[in-house]
């Protein structure tokens, strides 16, 4: 029997497959189902910053004390917020009673306003860790990339002051200088980075002349971006790396572990193939490890990282050049 356990965010997971944040992780029943099918942890559906409760009085008090411009809070609908947060903390509490795998709460962050203090409520509710789902689409032409990137560090710092449970950060690859940015983020004291989130993207309906949703689910071909960056960054960061996007089967799981991932997060493949996909992936991993004579993940994790590769230049190569000789 091979040992599939892994360390992620300071926790021991029974295997490296985490059910990522999505509609599949927004109820106790579906989380129990995921546990039954072998998921080693779950990341709850994100609570979106815009949904987070604001105790109106507190906010106003704090804001006026700090001389803040109150108009910046206008976009919050103060009436619905506290109910949403309560529902989220209840979900955490109920999940903690119903399953024995770690439950990671997820917050979607846009601005670093006072809402960060609510992170403590997620910890109190029993969350084992908090994943910050952070992303600003770089379409604000009036702000420099430095200004936008600073917000990441501000939010991390604020949340770190609020909670003592591990914090991970789920990011996109839209950064002006991705490698150094990942490295700097890993040095903030966070426990993990999730590379990468995948977003809703618009498509066009050319008959109706309307913007519509493009593919909601990833495809196996989407694996390559996170695979490359996990492999490049794993020896350069000071925290765990989890792979997200395009992990659809056991082979993709093995590749991400070889790149150096501590764990993978899966979503699309569960929507497309059902939760039983998790046990199928684990069986493929187990069989492969047995064939190769590996007893545990540490025996091969990161074996194909850029630092350990016999051909590190391949990871930096971006132009096709000679590769498609014959194809024009
Ligand atoms: C229907 C759906 C809902 C999602 N909701 C969230 C969310 O609330 N928070 C989040 O961080 N990611 C969310 N994601 C992104 C996934 O967690 C994941 O990062 C992305 O789908 C890429 O992984 P995959 O290739 O395994 O699907 C969602 C994805 C899907 C398909």
């Amino acid at each position: 029997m091979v040992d599939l356990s892994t360390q992620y965010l300071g926790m021991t997971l029974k295997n490296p497959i985490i059910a990522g944040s999505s509609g599949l992780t927004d109820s106790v029943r579906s989380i129990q189902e995921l546990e039954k099918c072998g998921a080693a942890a779950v990341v709850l559906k994100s609570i979106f910053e815009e949904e987070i409760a604001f105790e109106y009085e507190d906010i106003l008090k704090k804001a006026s004390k700090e001389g803040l411009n109150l108009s910046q809070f206008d976009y919050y609908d103060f009436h619905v917020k506290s109910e949403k947060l309560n529902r989220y903390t209840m979900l955490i509490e109920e999940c903690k009673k119903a399953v024995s795998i770690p439950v990671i709460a997820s917050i979607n962050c846009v601005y670093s306003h006072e809402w960060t203090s609510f992170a403590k409520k997620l910890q109190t509710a029993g969350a084992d860790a908090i994943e910050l789902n952070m992303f600003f689409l770089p379409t604000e032409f009036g702000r420099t990339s430095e200004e936008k990137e600073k917000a990441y560090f501000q939010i991390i710092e604020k949340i770190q002051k609020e909670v003592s449970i591990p914090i991970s950060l789920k990011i996109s690859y839209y950064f002006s200088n991705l490698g150094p940015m990942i490295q700097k983020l890993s040095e903030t004291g966070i426990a993990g980075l999730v590379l990468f989130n995948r977003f809703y993207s618009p498509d066009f309906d050319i008959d109706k002349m309307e913007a519509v949703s493009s593919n909601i689910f990833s495809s196996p071909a989407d694996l390559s971006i996170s695979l490359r960056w996990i492999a490049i960054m794993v020896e350069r960061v000071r925290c765990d790396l989890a792979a997200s996007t395009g992990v659809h089967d056991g082979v993709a799981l093995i590749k991400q572990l070889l790149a150096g991932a501590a764990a993978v997060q899966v979503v699309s493949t569960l929507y497309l193939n059902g939760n039983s996909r998790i046990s199928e992936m684990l069986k493929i991993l187990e069989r492969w490890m047995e064939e190769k004579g590996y007893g545990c993940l540490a025996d091969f994790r990161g074996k194909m990282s850029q630092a350990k590769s016999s051909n590190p230049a391949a990871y930096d190569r971006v132009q096709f050049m000679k590769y498609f000789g014959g194809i024009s």
Side-chain angles (χ1 to χ4, degrees), residues 268-284:
S268 293
T269 196
L270 303 184
Y271 276 104
L272 297 169
N273 302 301
N275 292 344
S276 59
R277 190 63 159 200
I278 298 173
S279 50
E280 288 164 24
M281 289 168 71
L282 291 172
K283 264 190 214 127
I284 289 170

Side-chain angles (χ1 to χ4, degrees), residues 54-300:
F54 264 70
E55 282 154 24
Y56 195 33
E57 290 299 323
D58 269 7
I59 289 296
L60 289 183
K61 253 190 261 161
K62 263 193 200 152
S64 57
K65 237 194 250 165
E66 291 170 21
L68 295 177
N69 173 9
L70 295 182
S71 64
Q72 69 186 299
F73 298 114
D74 281 356
Y75 71 101
Y76 292 106
D77 173 2
F78 295 110
H79 305 294
V80 289
K81 305 304 184 320
S82 96
E83 201 195 313
K84 292 242 162 107
L85 187 74
N86 288 342
R87 232 182 291 141
Y88 201 71
T89 52
M90 254 170 62
L91 175 63
I92 297 172
E93 283 165 14
E94 284 168 13
C95 282
K96 287 304 295 174
K97 283 185 212 140
V99 298
S100 57
I101 53 176
V103 174
I104 302 170
S106 167
I107 313 181
N108 168 258
C109 319
V110 186
Y111 298 93
S112 56
H113 290 326
E114 304 308 311
W115 63 267
T116 46
S117 62
F118 289 108
K120 196 177 257 162
K121 293 197 175 175
L122 307 185
Q123 172 173 304
T124 309
D128 292 286
I130 293 181
E131 183 176 285
L132 304 176
N133 158 15
M134 231 191 275
F135 180 56
F136 321 106
L137 191 71
T139 49
E140 284 171 78
F141 295 93
R143 286 171 78 202
T144 64
S145 49
E146 284 81 12
E147 283 168 337
K148 285 175 203 162
E149 288 172 3
K150 213 168 137 193
Y152 284 80
F153 296 93
Q154 286 170 339
I155 289 177
I156 290 169
E157 204 183 319
K158 281 194 172 192
I159 305 250
Q160 280 171 329
K161 284 190 185 134
E162 297 297 333
V163 300
S164 54
I165 53 176
I167 298 167
S168 63
L169 179 66
K170 186 182 193 188
I171 56 170
S172 77
Y173 44 84
Y174 285 95
F175 286 105
S176 51
N177 203 3
L178 182 58
M181 182 66 177
I182 291 174
Q183 192 170 50
K184 262 170 57 191
L185 288 168
S186 83
E187 289 163 0
T188 56
I190 55 171
L193 275 158
V194 183
L195 310 182
F196 295 105
N197 206 346
R198 182 171 185 276
F199 304 101
Y200 164 88
S201 295
D203 193 2
F204 291 167
D205 180 324
I206 59 168
D207 293 320
K208 293 186 186 156
M209 302 275 195
E210 275 176 10
V212 293
S213 167
S214 65
N215 289 334
I216 292 169
F217 301 126
S218 68
S219 79
D222 293 325
L223 181 78
S224 51
I225 297 176
S226 61
L227 189 68
R228 160 182 270 168
W229 284 99
I230 299 257
I232 290 175
M233 294 311 300
V234 69
E235 304 272 352
R236 295 182 161 108
V237 290
R238 293 212 199 136
C239 67
D240 297 331
L241 296 181
S244 166
T245 296
V247 182
H248 279 238
D249 54 30
V251 173
L253 165 65
I254 294 166
K255 287 181 185 176
Q256 289 290 13
L257 294 169
L258 281 168
V264 303
Q265 296 193 359
V266 290
V267 172
S268 293
T269 196
L270 303 184
Y271 276 104
L272 297 169
N273 302 301
N275 292 344
S276 59
R277 190 63 159 200
I278 298 173
S279 50
E280 288 164 24
M281 289 168 71
L282 291 172
K283 264 190 214 127
I284 289 170
L285 171 61
E286 236 168 353
R287 209 173 312 135
W288 179 82
M289 285 173 67
E290 279 161 7
E291 275 168 23
K292 297 279 178 195
Y294 295 134
C296 64
L297 301 193
D299 289 348
F300 67 94

